[in-house]
Amino acid sequence: MREMEQEKVNGNKEPCAEASSYRCSACHGDEDWGPGHPLRGRSKSRSLSAAPVLASAREFRRTRSLHGPCPVTTFGPKACVLQNPQTIMHIQDPASQRLTWNKSPKSVLVIKKIRDASLLQPFKELCAYLMEENNMVVYVEKKVLEDPALLSDDHFGPVKRKFCTFREDYDDISNQIDLIICLGGDGTLLYASSLFQGSVPPVMAFHLGSLGFLTPFNFENFQSQVTQVIQGNAAVVLRSRLKVRVVKEPRGKKVAVPNGISENGVLAVGKQAVQYQVLNEVVIDRGPSSYLSNVDVYLDGHLITTVQGDGVIVSTPTGSTAYAAAAGASMIHPNVPAIMVTPICPHSLSFRPIVVPAGVELKIMLSPEARNTAWVSFDGRKRQEIRHGDSISITTSCYPLPSICVRDPVSDWFESLAQCLHWNVRKKQAHFPEDEEDADAEGGEEQAGS
């Protein structure tokens, strides 16, 4: 077993919105794309792209955005919508999102649910298949190989020695992985998302856990499915993520920091900031306090409401089937460009779950009148306390998670609802016997005649 050398973390090279421009091919001719950047941060990347399905715009007016049929943008002889080249993220029409490779994938990250003996045999079979049949470099987390059952397996030794290992929060593997394969439940895919704070490689998730909203593949015929993905013959759904920035006020004496964080052009003195990429949701709650949480919610700089209650959930469409659904929110397909704001047991019963456009920026702070602090977590991880003066900024990330589908984004999503939630399952109403139907019909005719 060889240890992966720790690499320097690349600087944030997140493309600014001004760098990209977009024009609908159906309305404005060919699309104009601004100067691109490598998805993986290197010129020789094996990245994911969604190959468009070529079709005549006259036959089917469809953009490559998330908004479905292209709307008419001219109104009368002289009015039109001002074209705005500043965008957050472009996702193609779901019907045209197909996996393709610029180069054949060579490195794969296998994520396995820890402390689950039932996954040991599938893990061994998958890793042996990737190495021996496909000649791929396999990365696994170091603590996965520390399982006593793997350490004592002599037959798995030759395969185990070929692994590249890494440690979370210590090793950066963001520029070394071409494909991710998850074995377990939805938590494995959420963990995979947390490992990549920039561009995420394609993710193939096998359902071997308790829930399967995000894990559509069955492991029984994994060889043919993995081969199909490696060859680039699969549909993908681009699951949007949230870019979350937490800025905290210094506690105690304020000291000017030379490399302080600039907010709105003003140098922040002594402030500390950290950024996360979130796939499911950001949860702000009252923590261990017995008082209601009291937080202000701003949308693009405007105060829209003060949430009094147990807390508030800000989620992606992917997260709409998680905590948000349990709190009474609607379930939204991952291809819908939106951010959901869902209160948790609000004191004001008129505050219902709302859906806002994906391009807005939400900012959440403790209200000046708040009696206690609040707590925040990101996909159930990195839980921390929020005090007066701290802020949480949330917007849609330009780095979605490309999740590989078994069939297509729509079929897979409804299949997950049916399997995980037994969606729309009820005892069907019994039909009337034919003699009763005839009797009812005759009775209706007699009433009509009288």
Side-chain angles (χ1 to χ4, degrees):
M1 178 178 62
R2 52 196 177 101
E3 190 73 23
M4 188 198 71
E5 296 182 359
Q6 183 173 358
E7 295 189 353
K8 295 181 179 180
V9 178
N10 294 333
N12 292 333
K13 298 181 181 179
E14 182 173 304
C16 60
E18 291 79 7
S20 61
S21 61
Y22 175 84
R23 292 195 304 172
C24 170
S25 59
C27 300
H28 307 286
D30 294 334
E31 292 176 352
D32 290 338
W33 291 89
H37 67 285
L39 287 178
R40 298 280 303 285
R42 54 179 178 172
S43 58
K44 296 182 179 180
S45 63
R46 306 180 185 98
S47 59
L48 169 75
S49 61
V53 175
L54 300 179
S56 173
R58 294 181 180 178
E59 296 176 359
F60 193 40
R61 290 170 59 81
R62 199 96 158 135
T63 69
R64 292 185 187 177
S65 72
L66 279 174
H67 299 286
C70 181
V72 175
T73 56
T74 57
F75 312 101
K78 294 185 178 179
C80 65
V81 173
L82 179 65
Q83 295 299 309
N84 184 5
Q86 299 181 4
T87 56
I88 298 295
M89 177 178 62
H90 288 301
I91 298 179
Q92 290 184 335
D93 166 27
S96 67
Q97 289 173 188
R98 304 292 299 181
L99 174 67
T100 185
W101 301 96
N102 296 331
K103 293 182 179 180
S104 298
K106 295 298 181 184
S107 59
V108 57
L109 169 62
V110 177
I111 296 180
K112 169 189 166 295
K113 186 177 179 181
I114 306 297
R115 296 184 297 274
D116 192 337
S118 64
L119 297 180
L120 290 177
Q121 189 59 33
F123 174 75
K124 296 177 185 178
E125 294 178 8
L126 174 64
C127 293
Y129 176 76
L130 293 172
M131 289 182 180
E132 298 171 1
E133 301 296 331
N134 294 276
N135 195 28
M136 301 185 74
V137 178
V138 178
Y139 286 76
V140 297
E141 194 171 9
K142 187 176 182 180
K143 60 184 179 182
V144 171
L145 298 183
E146 295 174 353
D147 191 315
L150 289 178
L151 292 175
S152 59
D153 190 344
D154 296 333
H155 297 286
F156 194 62
V159 176
K160 185 171 59 178
R161 285 190 289 270
K162 297 179 182 179
F163 282 128
C164 289
T165 61
F166 73 96
R167 295 169 297 171
E168 184 187 9
D169 297 330
Y170 285 94
D171 301 320
D172 178 27
I173 58 172
S174 57
N175 284 333
Q176 303 177 27
I177 303 300
D178 300 323
L179 174 66
I180 303 173
I181 298 180
C182 297
L183 301 177
D186 292 344
T188 57
L189 192 136
L190 293 173
Y191 176 67
S193 173
S194 69
L195 295 175
F196 295 84
Q197 295 300 301
S199 179
V200 186
V203 181
M204 184 180 188
F206 287 93
H207 179 198
L208 293 168
S210 57
L211 278 180
F213 279 108
L214 311 178
T215 53
F217 286 91
N218 194 311
F219 195 78
E220 291 180 358
N221 53 345
F222 77 94
Q223 295 94 338
S224 60
Q225 292 175 329
V226 170
T227 300
Q228 194 173 20
V229 169
I230 293 175
Q231 293 174 351
N233 183 18
V236 292
V237 54
L238 302 185
R239 298 183 179 274
S240 63
R241 299 195 294 174
L242 298 176
K243 182 178 72 174
V244 186
R245 187 166 179 261
V246 181
V247 179
K248 293 191 175 183
E249 287 283 354
R251 308 304 171 195
K253 186 178 179 180
K254 292 186 178 181
V255 180
V257 179
N259 58 346
I261 301 155
S262 178
E263 288 187 306
N264 300 324
V266 179
L267 186 65
V269 179
K271 289 188 177 181
Q272 297 178 342
V274 64
Q275 186 168 295
Y276 303 96
Q277 297 284 335
V278 177
L279 179 60
N280 259 1
E281 76 267 309
V282 180
V283 178
I284 298 95
D285 60 71
R286 60 188 174 95
S289 173
S290 58
Y291 294 109
L292 296 176
S293 67
N294 195 343
V295 296
D296 294 333
V297 180
Y298 296 83
L299 191 148
D300 286 341
H302 302 283
L303 178 66
I304 58 172
T305 188
T306 297
V307 181
Q308 286 186 294
D310 283 353
V312 63
I313 306 167
V314 180
S315 60
T316 63
T318 295
S320 67
T321 53
Y323 195 175
S330 298
M331 295 178 289
I332 300 179
H333 190 275
N335 277 118
V336 177
I339 298 175
M340 300 182 62
V341 182
T342 306
I344 307 172
C345 299
H347 187 265
S348 173
L349 298 181
S350 62
F351 184 9
R352 313 308 302 162
I354 60 174
V355 180
V356 297
V360 304
E361 181 178 15
L362 295 169
K363 189 173 184 180
I364 300 176
M365 302 179 66
L366 272 181
S367 298
E369 302 83 11
R371 295 182 177 181
N372 57 297
T373 62
W375 289 76
V376 61
S377 61
F378 314 94
D379 283 341
R381 297 161 57 87
K382 309 293 184 182
R383 185 170 171 83
Q384 54 195 271
E385 190 175 14
I386 300 297
R387 302 182 180 183
H388 285 94
D390 301 343
S391 65
I392 305 170
S393 299
I394 305 171
T395 188
T396 300
S397 171
C398 63
Y399 297 112
L401 184 142
S403 180
I404 301 174
C405 304
V406 173
R407 288 187 290 175
D408 59 79
V410 175
S411 299
D412 283 13
W413 191 68
F414 279 101
E415 183 70 20
S416 69
L417 294 185
Q419 289 185 354
C420 299
L421 297 181
H422 301 287
W423 184 69
N424 208 25
V425 175
R426 61 181 294 272
K427 187 175 181 180
K428 293 186 178 181
Q429 191 176 37
H431 70 281
F432 288 122
E434 293 183 0
D435 53 349
E436 291 187 11
E437 291 181 355
D438 296 338
D440 290 341
E442 292 176 359
E445 292 176 358
E446 291 177 357
Q447 291 179 3
S450 60

